[in-house]
Each structure stands twice: as structure tokens, then as C-alpha cells.
Amino acid sequence: MKYRLANGLQVVLEENHAAPVVAFQAWVRVGSADEPRELAGIAHVFEHMLFKGTQKRGVGAIAREVEGAGGEINAWTSHDETVYHLVLASDFFDTGLDILADALTNSSFDPAEFDRERKVVLEEIKQGNDDPDRVVAQTLFATAFDVHNYGRPVIGSVETVGRMKRPDLVAFFKKHYVAANLTLVVVGDFDTARARVAVEKALGAMPGGRPMPPRQAQPGQRALRTGGVARDVKEVQLLFGFRTPGVNHEDIPALDTLSVILGQGDSSRLNLEVVRNRQMATSTSAYVFSARDPGLLVVSAALSPARVPETARAVLDEIMRLSREPIGPDELAKARTIIESDRVYDKETVQGYARKLGFFAAVADDLNYEDRYFERLRRLSPAELQRVAARYLRVANLTVVSQVPEAQAAKQKEKAEKTTARLRAVAEAAEARADARVSRRPASVAVVDSVVEHVFPSGLKLVVLRDPSVPVVALRATWVGGIRHEDARTNGISNLVAGLLTRGTKTRSAEQIMTAVEGMAGNLSGYAGRNSLGIQAEFLSRFWEQGLDLVLDCLQNANFSDEELGKERRIILDDLRAQEDNVGHVAFQLFHSTLWRTHPYRLDPLGTADTLAQLNRRKLLAHFHRHYGLANLTVAVVGDVDPDKLIARLATLPEESEDPPPVAPSPPSEPGPVEPTTAFKFLSREQAHLVIGFPGTTFDDPDRIALEILSQVLSGQGGRLFVEIREKRALAYRVSAFSMEGIDPGYFAVYVAASPSHLDEAVAAIRAELKKILDEGVPADELARAKRYLVGTHAIGLQRKSAIASAMAFHEAYGQGWDFYRKYAGLVNQVKADDVLRVARKYLDPRHEVVAVVKPGDATPAATARTARAARAAAPAQIGSNRPSDR
């Protein structure tokens, strides 16, 4: 349902009773493209400030109230909008709406809080300057949009954010945060009639105001544009951007389809030709940046420095083919199925569905946009796609940028200019090459059923949860193993085996598997972690039987061919080099290798260049057959399947002729450090990264739950570390703590990324907070908040069938029982303050502390020594995306 309040505020309500969860999203139609240049980044600053306090709720109170209700609070800023997001249990509907309305109408923008948060944003900008992906993407947009504000960073710059004042914020808020610019989207378990009354009461008095005026248009592009940067990175990135119309243009469905055919999925043209067959790039992708104003179709490639011109030529050749050769009906049907499946997957979570409806209503200005889009998609023909490709995928409409390695600052400008000149020559000849090739070519909702468990004579365990609520089936096939079955000589073998499990069998080639999977609008891949190895898959439910046959073929008949092994090894070697650009990963790997001296957990999941060179097909087959058979396989399936048919199909698997594989011996236990240990690594980056941790516990240890609660007391927007490090002192952009468990003991750790000048202060503050926990314990209100948050986010995280299948498979394989995820909330609620204090004192023992520091090199040995002493009296926190997998 969509309607407007009298003040002009747009409301979208969508009931969804699949889970007791509700999502609120306030879409403010003011993004970075609407800012005056002198205030670039102000929309993003609002993202940081809106939940920082109101006349009714003080600083930090909103985050604590949301987390205390078991919910999550977040926000994001884009070119066209700023969105404020709450998701929480539906019992707290009134609380969520009241918080959001209060923030939108009564935010106080506390001066001290603004000064602190501006420092945090400046740290975020610095963090972005260390991110190669962000730098090259911004280079593309700045080159393509030299007039329109889409060319500016959404986050702003150090200069514009640094000189921003609170009066700027207040004036911008009063002018633009008005009903005329606001769309409220509510999706989930609620009653529409009651919700309408509540929304009117909460937001009916908001000032109407005026909508945002039109923006300055970007002139049409008439000639090739090029640009580039050279930086201290390991991998080359090439980006190709073709100007496209705005989101409401009738050609957008065709452009989306072309991007899928070109660069989305394992069987896409670029992945098959450029990555796998010719091995000229480590990865490729394509997508359409669809926005309110004209956007870009973006194609990317990551590659080694030695192959820039030839890779650019190969990518452009594939792009130009689209306008010169008809697309086959099977390829079109596959692309259409992939796009249509997104509509199904988006409905699995209330927040995902709300985001889609918000985009339709606030950016596309049409809640029925999806119907129009899919009607156009269904009518697409090969001839229409060829026409659209010819219209937009032209050299005169193209912007090409690159990011290439050059460690010496004095040579970076020269290196960038040389690369740009080479790319310009390749691009200018692209259409002539394509025409020459053509001339030479000859003409030519139900209730979830109960869980079914079955153990087969072979030992294989099957767990099935029939759930027809959304037509998606998720499958996880899991073995206990992974890195725990590796040593220094075989490091990386698990990741290599997992990558090849779905890359060819005795009867199917890798390309046949990719094509089959994407024809079912699914995904299929192997995975390996510290404790497990297996296959994960999802399909539309009407294809579940074909999908199951494909999974079983991979499990039983993977052939680990020399050709695919060579391709996979090269990709991993490139990934290893690229990992060095992720400073957070470098810090954690340094931490792991310092905490563990002999245990396999110390190893990098990707292996090393030396170990990968020694791994051949014979060794992979021997390793796989030694450790991974039906006898120790666990399969979990969630979705609209027939359990009886599933059991009957698995019963046809041949019994293993040999005895079941012997149980692999557990790695030797490691006592952990006997004294505080600090390790350093020096990299030329803008930020320093630090991990401090202590030996931890295992999956099946009852202490695990109390440690998770302890980490949440320290973490989250209402947690101690966030409040102290970011809110009060603005020393770092993100800070957190976490407990990492395994089959063998893991660790409890804290991570922080901050400017080198702030590192000592941040570490000292973290150490002080840890000491408070050890000395005083956790008050009842903090304990309750942490417990409600863990229970709430656990429920939110289990909305997707893939998440439930993963939980069931891992818990069953690790011996906890498939239903552990259902018991989790009860176990959390049983924990008392004394339990948290006990585990804190048990695990956070300063005698066993390990610190890993990655930072710019110090000027003198004395400075290094001072930092080492400070690190022993310090502690940090972690960015979610950098958390290592515990699977």
C-alpha cells in the first residue's frame, strides 16, 4: 500500500508475516548529488549524526534502545538518497517507529558530538584512500561525470568535511529534511490499519517543505575519455564505463540483461573467455549503475601488471561483440532467469524487500516500477538487445580508467600517464577490430513443515526442513576438515579442493556446470574454512531435483582436472598478491601466526606460493579421498522440496567400496603464549591496524555464549568500545570485539584501525575498558542490552533459507545437533552477569596476550620500541568485513 500524508510525506506499507520481524526505512531524497560543492559530504555526515541524540533521547540512547529491543540500526548514503534503517522484532513496532520519527524531526546535532563525528568521518575518508577498489571506482566516476555531481565522492573530501560547521548541518536539515523529500517504508509483521494510525501520529506534523530542485545535467558524451592512477598496490584494475540513461528509461532492462550476459556469474562471457579460457585476468564483472539521472554500465577487470593492453583488448572485444552478433535464445533465457530470480531472493528478508520498495518509490518515483520493468524484460528479443548494445556500447560513449602498481611516489604520475596512453590506443581501435571480425565471419506461502532427519547406511547424515514460503531451495553439504587437515607442506589444499569441486566432473565440464546453474537462477560453489569443507548451493525450487543431481555429481565425481587446477592455482596466486592490499587481513594473518606456532589455524587459508606450486592433481585426489567421503558427510536442505524424494535420490548413491575413511587425528593442542607477545609489520598506508587477542574456546564449550555476550557488551553502536573510541574521542571509524571459536580453541580479540597518531590513545582506551570489565563486571542494563541484541540479530540473520541450511549443517557436523540454532536464544537468556565476569577473567589474561600491529614505518628504532611498550598496555577492535571465517 502506498499513500501520502497531508503534509506530502509518502508512506509504503507491506505486510509480511513470514517472520516476527519488521523493518523501517526512511528514504530521504537528498543524496550526495544534491549537495552544494562547498558542502560535499554533508549528506553522509547526516548518516552519522541523525541517530546521535534528540531532544527526547540523549547521545547514545537511540543505539542502546534499539539494541535493547533486539534490533539493528543503520544508515547509508548514495548519490540520490540517504536512508535510515531499523529492523527489530515486530513486538517493538511502536518503539521502532517512535525512534525513527524522533530522529527525523527532533535531532539535536549536539555540537560536541558533531565535532567528534566529523573526526570519525575524516578517518573514514582516510580508510577509503587505502582501499584500491574505492579509489579506482571514484576515478572512473570523476572522469565520466565532470559536470554532474555523480562525479564527486559520496563521502566528501578531507577539505569539505574538515571545514564543515554545525550551522551548515542545521540549515541543511531544516531546508531538506521535510515531508516533501521523505518516503517511509515499513515491511514485516504488522497490521496495516493500526500502522496507518501510528504513522500519522508520529510524522503527520512534520513540516511539508519543498522537494529538491533539478540538478545540473551532465552533457552528452561525444568522445572517448581516459584517466588513471598509479599507487602502491599489487594488482592492476581496469574499469570501462559506458554512459546510460536514467533508471526510468525503457532501455534499462536491456542494459541490465547485457551486463548479466557480459559479466555476472561463472558462465558469463568475460569470466569464461578472459578469466578462465585465456587466463588474462583474475576476475571480471559488469553491472549497471542505475540512478535517478543518467548513469553508467561498468565493466571491471583485475589482472597482473604485465598484461594490461592485451587484457583491455580482450575485454573490449567481448563488449563490442554484443552489438555485432545476435545473442542466442539460451543465453538470453538464462540472463532473464537470473534477473527475475532477484525478485524472489529479495523477498526473503524484510529489510531486503523494504530496500527494493524504497528504491522504487523514492528514486524511480513509481511503486509499480518492477511490473513495468519485468514486462519490458519479458519482451526483449536478441534483435532488441543488439540495438541497445549498438546505441550505448560505443567508443565515443566510453570512459576507461586504470589503477596500476607503482610504489615510488615520484614515478606515480608518469606511470599513470603511460598506462592511460596505452589504454586509449587500445580503446580507439576497438570498433575497427570488431568490424573486421564480423566481415571475416561466415553468415550463420505455506506453513513450515517439521524437520526430517535420516542417516544412510553409508553414514551420510541428511537434515531436511520443508519450507515453501518462498520458492527457493538452499543446500549445504559439509565435511569437518578444512585447514585442520593441513600442515605447512599442504597449506592451501583445502581451498584448492573446494574451488575445484564444482569445476568439472567425469561427465560435465566446468563451463557446462556454470551454464546449468545459472539456467536454474542458482549458485553453486565449494567452500573451505578453518573447520570444514563442502559445497553450498541455491536454486529456484522448481529446479531443485536438477540442482540436487548437479551437487551430487560434484560430490561424487569431481575430477580435479589439470587444466582447471592450473586456472584455479593462478587465480589463487593473484588473490594472494591482492591480499597484501587489504591491511586488515594482513593484521589478522600476523595475529594468527603469532598466536599459533604449530596449530594449522595459524595458516593462511589460501596457502602460499610455494605450497601451491607443489600441489598437483594426484595430491588433491589423494587428500580428498582420504578425508572426505560419504561416511562423514552432512547434508542440510531447506526449501520447497519433497523429503521422501530427496531421501530416495540420496539412497541411490553407491556405497563406498572401501572402509570408511579413518578419522583424521586432531591437531596437537597448543598451550598458547606463556608471556605477552607483540608482532609488527610495516606498510606504507594512511592508517595503522592493530589486533589484540587472547586464546579462546571451542564451538561446544558452554563458555562460548558468555564470551559472545561479553563481545557485544564491548561492541555495537551502544557498546563500550564504540562509545569510548568513536563517540567520545573520534579516534577510529569502526571498532568492535569478538569471540572466534573453532573445533579447537580459537581466540577472543579486539581490532582497531586508526591514524598512526591516534593509535596509542585508542589502544590505551581499549585497554582501560577491558580492565573495567575485569574489575567491575557488567551491569544489569548492559547485560540485558547485549542479550536482546544477540537474540534479535540471530533471528534477523536467519531469514534466508541459505542461513538456516548453513546453521543446520554446521551444527550437525560439529556435533552440537542441527537444532542448536533454535536453542540459541534460550542459551543466551540463561547467562548471568557472574558468568560474563567469570569468562572475562578466565580468558582475558594479560599473561597470554598477543598483539599484532601493522602500521607505517617508524622513523627510529626508539620509536618502534616505544610503540611496542604501548601495545603491551593496550587493546583494539575489528571491522566486520575483516573477521576471519570460523567455519
Side-chain angles (χ1 to χ4, degrees):
M1 169 188 289
K2 183 182 80 169
Y3 64 98
R4 287 189 181 273
L5 302 183
N7 59 4
L9 189 148
Q10 184 171 235
V11 183
V12 178
L13 302 177
E14 181 74 19
E15 290 189 38
N16 183 335
H17 303 287
V21 178
V22 63
F24 297 90
Q25 291 185 2
W27 285 66
V28 182
R29 291 186 291 279
V30 181
S32 63
D34 300 300
E35 305 161 339
R37 288 189 176 270
E38 66 273 13
L39 293 178
I42 194 170
H44 174 256
V45 172
F46 274 103
E47 172 193 322
H48 284 248
M49 288 297 299
L50 200 75
F51 290 134
K52 292 299 181 183
T54 67
Q55 299 171 14
K56 179 179 177 182
R57 296 173 169 89
V59 174
I62 290 177
R64 289 192 295 272
E65 190 172 351
V66 172
E67 292 176 357
E72 295 178 342
I73 188 172
N74 214 330
W76 71 83
T77 310
S78 187
H79 298 87
D80 292 330
E81 76 279 345
T82 306
V83 183
Y84 303 94
H85 163 63
L86 292 171
V87 58
L88 66 175
S90 52
D91 288 345
F92 295 97
F93 180 98
D94 293 333
T95 300
L97 180 59
D98 182 66
I99 289 172
L100 192 56
D102 189 25
L104 288 167
T105 56
N106 299 309
S107 282
S108 57
F109 305 117
D110 177 79
E113 193 64 24
F114 170 69
D115 287 339
R116 282 190 291 268
E117 203 61 29
R118 181 177 53 188
K119 295 177 183 177
V120 170
V121 174
L122 292 173
E123 289 296 320
E124 186 180 358
I125 293 171
K126 293 178 182 178
Q127 183 177 333
N129 292 338
D130 282 342
D131 183 344
D133 293 337
R134 182 176 292 186
V135 170
V136 71
Q138 184 53 49
T139 303
L140 172 67
F141 274 69
T143 307
F145 298 106
D146 57 340
V147 174
H148 195 286
N149 286 349
Y150 284 165
R152 298 198 318 234
V154 171
I155 197 172
S157 68
V158 170
E159 292 74 22
T160 57
V161 174
R163 63 173 175 255
M164 213 172 282
K165 306 297 184 185
R166 181 181 179 273
D168 299 325
L169 206 68
V170 173
F172 195 89
F173 180 78
K174 289 182 177 179
K175 183 176 181 180
H176 299 306
Y177 274 60
V178 292
N181 289 326
L182 182 64
T183 296
L184 175 68
V185 182
V186 188
V187 177
D189 182 29
F190 63 87
D191 176 74
T192 296
R194 183 178 176 278
R196 291 195 65 160
V197 174
V199 169
E200 175 67 38
K201 181 179 178 182
L203 291 166
M206 188 178 194
R210 295 181 179 179
M212 294 299 299
R215 303 152 175 166
Q216 184 176 6
Q218 174 72 35
Q221 186 168 326
R222 299 181 181 276
L224 172 68
R225 296 185 177 193
T226 54
V229 293
R231 304 174 70 235
D232 184 10
V233 295
K234 304 298 180 184
E235 194 171 43
V236 171
Q237 294 194 56
L238 302 180
L239 264 61
F240 306 80
F242 295 87
R243 291 283 301 279
T244 58
V247 67
N248 279 307
H249 196 279
E250 64 177 6
D251 287 340
I252 289 296
L255 288 164
D256 283 338
T257 304
L258 290 169
S259 73
V260 171
I261 290 169
L262 194 60
Q264 294 183 29
D266 288 341
S267 65
S268 64
R269 292 186 176 189
L270 286 174
N271 188 64
L272 287 179
E273 180 64 17
V274 179
V275 177
R276 298 191 58 79
N277 293 343
R278 301 173 67 181
Q279 296 195 339
M280 304 177 78
T282 58
S283 65
T284 54
S285 67
Y287 71 93
V288 178
F289 166 63
S290 294
R292 183 175 300 146
D293 298 330
L296 288 176
L297 188 154
V298 180
V299 178
S300 69
L303 57 144
S304 67
R307 313 193 72 179
V308 173
E310 58 184 312
T311 302
R313 188 178 298 111
V315 170
L316 285 167
D317 287 349
E318 290 300 319
I319 294 172
M320 296 301 158
R321 281 181 58 201
L322 294 172
S323 60
R324 289 160 173 81
E325 301 175 13
I327 292 167
D330 291 343
E331 197 171 17
L332 172 57
K334 181 187 69 175
R336 186 184 287 122
T337 301
I338 290 171
I339 295 173
E340 289 177 338
S341 71
D342 289 342
R343 177 170 56 176
V344 175
Y345 289 118
D346 282 344
K347 292 184 178 180
E348 281 201 287
T349 67
V350 293
Q351 60 268 38
Y353 198 19
R355 183 164 188 160
K356 181 167 69 170
L357 293 177
F359 181 85
F360 294 160
V363 178
D365 295 319
D366 181 6
L367 199 59
N368 297 316
Y369 175 85
E370 189 173 61
D371 293 336
R372 288 194 292 110
Y373 179 98
F374 282 107
E375 175 59 29
R376 180 76 176 159
L377 180 71
R378 282 188 287 271
R379 290 190 284 110
L380 282 178
S381 65
E384 176 73 359
L385 287 174
Q386 199 169 348
R387 179 194 67 78
V388 171
R391 180 176 183 181
Y392 298 101
L393 305 186
R394 298 176 292 108
V395 171
N397 196 42
L398 169 64
T399 300
V400 183
V401 301
S402 63
Q403 179 173 249
V404 294
E406 178 52 66
Q408 298 183 45
K411 296 183 178 181
Q412 288 176 347
K413 181 179 179 181
E414 179 185 1
K415 181 71 169 289
E417 290 175 348
K418 285 184 178 180
T419 305
T420 298
R422 296 165 75 188
L423 288 174
R424 172 172 285 276
V426 171
E428 286 175 339
E431 291 183 356
R433 288 196 308 273
D435 292 338
R437 284 194 303 273
V438 171
S439 66
R440 293 194 300 266
R441 188 174 298 115
S444 56
V445 179
V447 177
V448 174
D449 292 342
S450 60
V451 170
V452 174
E453 301 177 71
H454 191 88
V455 179
F456 295 86
S458 63
L460 184 154
K461 295 180 181 179
L462 172 67
V463 185
V464 186
L465 172 59
R466 185 174 184 274
D467 177 4
S469 59
V470 178
V472 174
V473 171
L475 181 150
R476 296 294 183 270
T478 299
W479 287 284
V480 172
I483 289 181
R484 290 182 76 252
H485 288 346
E486 296 181 10
D487 56 31
R489 294 172 301 174
T490 61
N491 184 206
I493 196 169
S494 301
N495 182 64
L496 200 50
V497 165
L500 294 173
L501 272 177
T502 60
R503 289 294 180 262
T505 69
K506 296 174 183 177
T507 59
R508 292 178 171 97
S509 69
E511 294 180 13
Q512 287 174 325
I513 292 174
M514 296 174 196
T515 302
V517 170
E518 292 177 359
M520 293 183 274
N523 60 73
L524 172 69
S525 62
Y527 64 87
R530 287 180 169 76
N531 304 280
S532 64
L533 182 146
I535 287 180
Q536 53 194 6
E538 288 178 277
F539 307 99
L540 295 183
S541 55
R542 67 179 183 268
F543 299 120
W544 78 263
E545 291 180 89
Q546 300 99 300
L548 175 64
D549 285 340
L550 197 57
V551 171
L552 295 181
D553 188 24
C554 293
L555 290 171
Q556 288 280 285
N557 301 311
N559 62 0
F560 304 103
S561 72
D562 287 327
E563 179 184 2
E564 293 298 327
L565 171 58
K567 294 176 182 178
E568 194 71 16
R569 182 190 287 116
R570 177 168 177 172
I571 290 170
I572 295 171
L573 288 172
D574 287 329
D575 288 343
L576 275 171
R577 285 188 288 270
Q579 264 185 178
E580 298 178 33
D581 293 332
N582 184 336
V583 188
H585 173 86
V586 173
F588 274 105
Q589 193 55 46
L590 178 62
F591 173 76
H592 295 158
S593 61
T594 306
L595 175 65
W596 290 295
R597 297 295 183 176
T598 60
H599 195 285
Y601 285 167
R602 76 189 187 281
L603 303 172
D604 189 321
L606 296 185
T608 69
D610 290 339
T611 58
L612 290 171
Q614 302 300 317
L615 296 175
N616 55 32
R617 181 173 184 267
R618 178 184 59 80
K619 291 180 180 179
L620 263 62
L621 283 168
H623 182 86
F624 181 67
H625 292 306
R626 181 184 310 120
H627 296 295
Y628 305 106
L630 293 180
N632 51 10
L633 178 64
T634 299
V635 177
V637 182
V638 179
D640 190 9
V641 299
D642 182 333
D644 291 333
K645 284 187 177 181
L646 185 56
I647 292 171
R649 176 64 183 90
L650 291 178
T652 65
L653 293 177
E655 298 260 346
E656 294 178 339
S657 56
E658 302 175 1
D659 293 333
V663 177
S666 296
S669 60
E670 193 162 345
V674 296
E675 63 180 358
T677 304
T678 301
F680 288 92
K681 186 164 187 176
F682 299 100
L683 294 176
S684 178
R685 296 293 187 272
E686 290 195 25
Q687 287 196 315
H689 297 246
L690 185 145
V691 181
I692 182 170
F694 310 86
T697 190
T698 59
F699 289 135
D700 57 358
D701 189 336
D703 286 348
R704 169 188 177 181
I705 303 298
L707 279 173
E708 288 189 26
I709 292 174
L710 173 60
S711 71
Q712 187 53 42
V713 168
L714 293 165
S715 303
Q717 294 188 30
R720 294 188 179 194
L721 293 178
F722 188 93
V723 170
E724 184 66 24
I725 303 300
R726 173 168 163 170
E727 299 291 284
K728 292 184 178 179
R729 306 195 193 186
L731 297 173
Y733 174 55
R734 289 173 180 154
V735 64
S736 174
F738 59 93
S739 177
M740 182 67 65
E741 305 85 20
I743 292 178
D744 301 316
Y747 56 83
F748 187 95
V750 184
Y751 164 94
V752 70
S755 292
S757 60
H758 294 161
L759 185 62
D760 290 352
E761 185 180 354
V763 165
I766 293 166
R767 174 63 68 199
E769 292 303 320
L770 294 179
K771 189 174 187 303
K772 285 181 185 177
I773 295 285
L774 296 175
D775 292 344
E776 304 168 9
V778 178
D781 60 332
E782 288 187 73
L783 177 66
R785 176 191 67 82
K787 290 163 73 170
R788 287 195 295 267
Y789 179 81
L790 289 175
V791 171
T793 54
H794 180 71
I796 292 168
L798 288 172
Q799 293 179 84
R800 294 191 182 277
K801 292 179 172 59
S802 56
I804 297 174
S806 292
M808 295 172 72
F810 287 128
H811 292 319
E812 182 66 26
Y814 295 157
Q816 300 162 287
W818 65 264
D819 59 345
F820 180 84
Y821 77 98
R822 294 184 174 180
K823 302 174 182 176
Y824 179 80
L827 293 172
V828 169
N829 287 323
Q830 290 173 13
V831 174
K832 298 179 173 57
D834 289 345
D835 298 320
V836 178
L837 179 60
R838 176 184 58 80
V839 299
R841 291 175 174 173
K842 177 179 178 180
Y843 292 96
L844 306 187
D845 187 339
R847 296 172 299 176
H848 305 310
E849 173 189 285
V850 173
V851 179
V853 186
V854 178
K855 62 175 185 172
D858 289 314
T860 66
T864 302
R866 287 196 302 272
T867 304
R869 289 194 297 273
R872 292 190 181 95
Q878 163 265 350
I879 297 174
S881 63
N882 285 325
R883 175 172 177 165
S885 169
D886 61 355
R887 297 307 187 191

